[in-house]
Amino acid sequence: RAWRRPRRCAARAAGGEGGKGGGGGDGAASVDEDEGDEGEFPWPEWVPEDLRLNLDDVQTVLWAFGISLGVRALVAEPRFIPSLSMYPTLDVGDRIFAEKITYRFERPPARGDVIIFKAPEALQERGYPAGEVFIKRVVGTGGDSVRVHDGLLYVNGVPQDEPFTNEKPTYEMVEYTVPEGQIFVMGDNRNNSYDSHVWGPVPLENVLGHATLRYWPPNKVGNLKEVAIQYE
């Protein structure tokens, strides 16, 4: 036959032979295979016997995998921080959870939120894959005017006090009005962040979640500090 039974089935068959004596060996092995078909998964011969799960185990693994995918898609997803663009709020190697309930059921992204989002079209045109995920802070929402001048971020003409940033920006950015249905994002490490001041706003449909909790490293576990953006 194309499939080989796991070793534990053979062991039961051997026990049956011992109980019946030498003459009933073939019959005992045949009955054991028929009875085991309901609980054994037909693994290919190349799968090591130590890794062969029975049907119940396979179903448990598939259920667990499906639940984890559901949680990731609908509730929250973990993310690894690969760069210094959000330093000092987030450092390279930090791991965070981004929850998805708030933006799905309660409200859209707000000024001050740290978000994760898929690469918008402007980044795709610069060579980034459509599915690549970024993390930045929202500084402007639809209708807001944003500009950078003399080391300060202005939102709707109001200069921002931003103690959470790494340093004051050394660049200038002319006033820009954020289109409705989009958000303007920047990294907290203003002079080392590839963000909206370079490539433009992020459509709301590209937003994946709200980064709220750091769970690694152990000495920095906790909620990300909320900040306020003064806009009027």
Side-chain angles (χ1 to χ4, degrees), residues 52-65:
R52 298 180 184 182
L53 305 176
N54 61 34
L55 188 57
D56 288 341
D57 293 335
V58 171
Q59 291 174 338
T60 299
V61 170
L62 291 177
W63 271 107
F65 183 67

Side-chain angles (χ1 to χ4, degrees), residues 64-181:
F65 183 67
I67 291 171
S68 68
L69 288 180
V71 169
R72 186 182 180 96
L74 301 175
V75 180
E77 67 176 89
R79 283 289 167 180
F80 171 83
I81 305 302
S83 75
L84 287 169
S85 71
M86 281 296 293
Y87 184 83
T89 303
L90 295 168
D91 204 348
V92 174
D94 286 358
R95 295 178 182 271
I96 59 98
F97 273 118
E99 61 89 8
K100 302 186 176 186
I101 301 298
T102 298
Y103 297 157
R104 188 179 297 273
F105 299 109
E106 297 180 10
R107 63 170 177 83
R111 306 171 191 87
D113 288 357
V114 177
I115 66 166
I116 61 171
F117 58 94
K118 295 184 297 184
E121 187 174 343
L123 281 176
Q124 295 176 43
E125 292 173 352
R126 289 166 167 79
Y128 290 89
E132 186 155 350
V133 176
F134 298 82
I135 182 166
K136 305 291 181 188
R137 188 181 299 278
V138 179
V139 299
T141 58
D144 288 342
S145 66
V146 182
R147 75 175 177 129
V148 177
H149 174 65
D150 198 22
L152 292 175
L153 168 69
Y154 290 79
V155 179
N156 296 332
V158 180
Q160 302 298 307
D161 179 23
E162 302 180 298
F164 54 86
T165 59
N166 189 41
E167 57 187 359
K168 292 184 177 181
T170 57
Y171 56 83
E172 297 282 318
M173 187 188 82
V174 298
E175 186 171 297
Y176 175 82
T177 299
V178 184
E180 293 295 334

